[in-house]
Amino acid sequence: MAQTTSGLHKILSPAWAYSFFQNFVGAQRARKQFVEQHVHAQPGDRVLDMGCGTAEILTMLPEVNYAGYDLSAAYIEKARATFGDRGTFCVGDVGSMREALSGKFDIVLAMGILHHLDDDQVLQLFRTAHDVLASGGRIVSIDPTFTTGQHFFAKWMIRRDRGRNVRTESELLSLATQQFPNTKAVVRHDLLRIPYTHIILECLKRD
Ligand SMILES: C[S@@+](CC[C@H](N)C(=O)[O-])C[C@H]1O[C@@H](n2cnc3c(N)ncnc32)[C@H](O)[C@@H]1O
């Protein structure tokens, strides 16, 4: 996927600058609210994290059985070094990870990944999630989104995201509901300390 490097990405490329920015905007607090208000993980849940990055989410989850997959070998190495046996961490593309997965999961997480994927990849991700979820299990996703009436600064920031496939609520719902007819979308403008808009999907597997 071709990507351009905007001025914002250049400014934030040193690790210290990125960390400072994350603290400034309240990224950790936002993650905590997402976990508490939308993920609802219980101790012992089997959790699959698609596009897990460095698996930072583990600092906010109870004692779950965690499996994280990410395309980046460097992120997976960091996750292993940080969290050791608190989970399994594998390099994998969400488009072709189905064969690598065994057993059923109670929760599938897709945090900040859908807007990096094209429509075919998103459909494949939902198919895989549907296959591996236990009955009554849920996939919960969070991504930036465009809405009408959104703060101009939120729109400006989201236009500069590295993800080239930021979708509206109806675009995301039309993809998710092909596998998960029982999907709830929540648009939030309050998760970060700066104007920003997230969309959260909570998709329930019924059968
Ligand atoms: C914005 S980061 C989010 C990371 C993590 N979920 C979090 O919330 O901190 C998006 C992640 O998706 C991963 N990613 C992008 N495309 C992917 C793909 N096709 N398969 C697996 N991971 C992918 C990237 O390597 C990156 O770690």
Side-chain angles (χ1 to χ4, degrees), residues 3-67:
Q3 295 193 340
T4 53
T5 305
S6 74
L8 188 63
H9 297 147
K10 277 190 199 135
I11 291 165
L12 297 179
S13 60
W16 67 265
Y18 182 73
S19 265
F20 175 82
F21 180 73
Q22 291 283 306
N23 286 337
F24 176 74
V25 302
Q28 281 295 87
R29 178 177 146 273
R31 199 190 287 273
K32 192 159 185 279
Q33 287 189 53
F34 170 71
V35 168
E36 289 174 1
Q37 297 167 15
H38 298 278
V39 177
H40 306 301
Q42 301 300 315
D45 276 351
R46 297 156 296 179
V47 176
L48 171 64
D49 191 355
M50 295 168 121
C52 64
T54 55
E56 284 304 312
I57 193 78
L58 266 174
T59 60
M60 290 172 189
L61 291 172
E63 282 297 312
V64 296
N65 294 309
Y66 177 94

Side-chain angles (χ1 to χ4, degrees), residues 115-179:
H115 70 289
H116 290 282
L117 305 179
D118 66 28
D119 284 1
D120 287 342
Q121 291 172 307
V122 171
L123 288 171
Q124 183 56 49
L125 182 149
F126 280 118
R127 266 195 295 274
T128 301
H130 194 270
D131 259 14
V132 301
L133 275 170
S135 180
R138 291 175 309 126
I139 170 166
V140 188
S141 69
I142 180 165
D143 286 278
T145 189
F146 292 121
T147 61
T148 51
Q150 172 175 41
H151 196 288
F152 76 93
F153 184 73
K155 197 164 270 185
W156 184 87
M157 286 289 290
I158 293 168
R159 282 213 185 104
R160 274 148 190 83
D161 195 286
R162 280 180 220 268
R164 297 287 86 209
N165 297 292
V166 174
R167 297 178 177 85
T168 62
E169 176 175 348
S170 63
E171 287 168 343
L172 267 177
L173 281 174
S174 79
L175 296 171
T177 53
Q178 294 185 34
Q179 289 297 322

